Amino acid sequence: MLPAYFDHNATTPLSGRVLEAMLPYFQESFGNASSRHAFGRAARKAVDDAREQVADAVGAHPSQVYFVSGGTEANNLLIKGAAARLRPSQVAVSAVEHPCVMKPALALRESGWKFRRFSVDNAGRLDMTDVQAALREPTGLASVMLANNETGVVQDVAAVAEMARGAGAVIHTDAVQAFGKVPVSFADLNVHAMTLSAHKIYGPKGIGALILDKRLDIMPQIIGGGHEKGLRAGTENVPAIVGFGAACSLAVSGLGQSSLQLQSLRERLDQGLHAMGAVLFGDGAARLPNTGYFAFPGIDGETLVMALDRAGFAVASGSACSSDSAEPSPVLLAMGVERELARCAVRISLGRENEMGQVERFLQVLQEEIFRLKRLVTVAPQGGSDPLRAMKPARAESYTV
Ligand code: PLP
């Protein structure tokens, strides 16, 4: 049987239609979009069309779309670039941000900024009272993700934007995980800036966009030629930009259908997990239709991920794989989850090619693996090394959740 891929929040397969749209721009239409001749003009038109597709997909104007190399770069550009144009005050971000928001925000302390986290409750929802309290301090910049990559919990960004604007702060949202899974409108969210990434929506890797309120002054972080109106220098990656545009259009046109299908798969998954006695994170909160995050107390998350991999299921553990130490997920710790339980976390993120049969088979296999691993735990010698930890593979070097 073919392995089942349940890790769509890490990345998605490239859609066949997206690939088809991209192919001509590798060879026949290979021009540099800045060149004046016909080859260049064809590339420029392709970039302009894609800009329109991205803008249409999120209710923005094409002139507000800046292409960058992905979500990480968009978040860095916004945080560093907006801060550089402001007098240092407070930068406030939610306690569950992706490291590519958290780290640049933390780094602003080196240039005199005060760093503040907005806390979340046990289900991973933003604590609005804390947001209000934090914004009483003079705040230049705030960032709250629309949906969390681990829990799938969706935040009320429009409410935060209203408070942040009232406090005179620039407000940004990382919509990388929400986009393509729930409707996303730049205008309705009322933010100054929003981050998107193509490879989470069946588009190519290495391309994304920062959507900006035109009145916002941002200092470019990569300078050189005047690409992207001077905000991001570097010859445009035309095939990737075309693929991103196509993926955006497909994401919006297929949204209703795919979210209904994902929701029914996830509901069956949740039901099966509950029946097996799993702890479900983010339970009860508004969540993305495709994401489930759970733990079996005493069963190490990475060990379970590797066991499931051997059984043909690609899922993710909740650990931040950024060092050699098995650090539990900072997202779960921010939600008040005990370190030991956080180490047991496993994430399932479904996609549009998944089917109910795969979920049913997964639940069966999971039950067998849990039974087997629990027996291993109970036969561990007293005071001896943990057999589950000993089975763990060498760790990856980068953050994938
Ligand atoms: N923001 C969130 C919430 C993410 O989940 C990710 C990727 O996992 C990123 C940003 C980074 O995006 P990219 O992989 O395009 O750099």
Side-chain angles (χ1 to χ4, degrees):
M1 218 171 302
L2 282 177
Y5 185 77
F6 287 170
D7 198 14
H8 294 78
N9 289 8
T11 196
T12 54
L14 188 77
S15 142
R17 284 163 73 185
V18 170
L19 176 63
E20 224 173 273
M22 292 170 71
L23 283 175
Y25 296 93
F26 286 104
Q27 289 187 313
E28 299 105 84
S29 297
F30 62 87
N32 184 323
S34 300
S35 302
R36 298 271 179 238
H37 46 62
F39 292 87
R41 289 199 306 275
R44 173 57 56 204
K45 171 153 187 352
V47 170
D48 288 346
D49 290 350
R51 205 183 299 280
E52 221 163 277
Q53 287 172 307
V54 175
D56 281 354
V58 294
H61 190 269
S63 62
Q64 296 178 294
V65 177
Y66 294 85
F67 289 118
V68 296
S69 68
T72 300
E73 187 186 331
N75 287 340
N76 271 265
L77 173 57
L78 182 278
I79 289 171
K80 295 174 188 169
R85 299 288 198 227
L86 296 166
R87 204 173 316 122
S89 58
Q90 174 171 261
V91 54
V93 307
S94 90
V96 293
E97 291 302 313
H98 191 275
C100 64
V101 165
M102 194 63 88
K103 288 185 182 176
L106 275 163
L108 291 182
R109 290 178 302 184
E110 286 159 31
S111 34
W113 287 73
K114 216 171 118 189
F115 175 82
R116 170 79 137 95
R117 280 186 183 84
F118 296 134
S119 56
V120 294
D121 68 10
N122 291 341
R125 287 171 294 225
L126 209 55
D127 175 349
M128 289 299 183
T129 329
D130 191 49
V131 173
Q132 213 155 26
L135 292 173
R136 277 191 211 111
E137 287 279 315
T139 305
L141 182 56
S143 182
V144 169
M145 69 202 321
L146 189 49
N148 184 264
N149 46 303
E150 293 181 39
T151 59
V153 170
V154 178
Q155 307 292 358
D156 188 351
V157 169
V160 180
E162 197 181 326
M163 292 184 207
R165 282 180 184 268
V170 170
I171 172 74
H172 163 253
T173 191
D174 174 347
V176 163
Q177 291 292 346
F179 182 49
K181 296 169 191 146
V182 290
V184 173
S185 160
F186 182 70
D188 291 352
L189 290 172
N190 196 25
V191 289
H192 293 105
M194 182 165 85
T195 292
L196 302 174
S197 174
H199 75 101
K200 310 288 187 182
I201 58 159
Y202 303 87
K205 293 171 182 60
I207 189 74
L210 185 61
I211 317 291
L212 282 181
D213 181 323
K214 278 193 263 181
R215 286 159 296 187
L216 196 63
D217 187 17
I218 297 277
M219 185 178 178
Q221 301 298 302
I222 300 177
I223 51 176
H227 310 86
E228 297 300 298
K229 289 183 262 165
L231 195 63
R232 202 281 188 176
T235 301
E236 291 91 343
N237 183 348
V238 180
I241 289 172
V242 167
F244 185 21
C248 284
S249 297
L250 290 170
V252 171
S253 62
L255 186 62
Q257 164 83 19
S258 78
S259 63
L260 278 179
Q261 180 200 337
L262 292 170
Q263 185 81 36
S264 72
L265 299 185
R266 214 273 311 281
E267 274 166 15
R268 172 67 188 113
L269 188 69
D270 281 0
Q271 185 196 28
L273 289 167
H274 268 304
M276 275 183 237
V279 176
L280 266 64
F281 303 116
D283 209 14
R287 270 187 298 156
L288 294 176
N290 79 319
T291 309
Y293 203 25
F294 62 92
F296 287 91
I299 307 289
D300 179 75
E302 284 207 37
T303 305
L304 185 52
V305 166
M306 294 321 294
L308 290 167
D309 183 43
R310 283 191 293 275
F313 294 94
V315 302
S317 81
S319 314
C321 311
S322 54
S323 71
D324 283 338
S325 64
E327 265 309 298
S329 149
V331 170
L332 291 177
L333 298 184
M335 290 162 61
V337 176
E338 295 288 335
R339 294 181 81 82
E340 269 316 299
L341 184 61
R343 282 203 182 88
C344 303
V346 170
R347 181 191 66 189
I348 307 268
S349 47
L350 302 161
R352 58 190 186 209
E353 74 282 7
N354 292 142
E355 291 165 0
M356 192 59 91
Q358 293 176 310
V359 172
E360 295 293 355
R361 198 159 52 83
F362 172 78
L363 288 169
Q364 257 170 26
V365 167
L366 181 65
Q367 181 125 47
E368 287 158 21
E369 289 300 333
I370 294 298
F371 182 71
R372 188 177 67 80
L373 295 171
K374 270 191 181 153
R375 281 191 52 209
L376 270 178
V377 176
T378 48
V379 298
Q382 283 288 311
S385 61
D386 177 349
L388 296 188
R389 290 211 185 278
M391 281 168 56
K392 282 206 319 198
R395 296 184 56 83
E397 288 275 302
S398 62
Y399 186 92
T400 53
V401 291

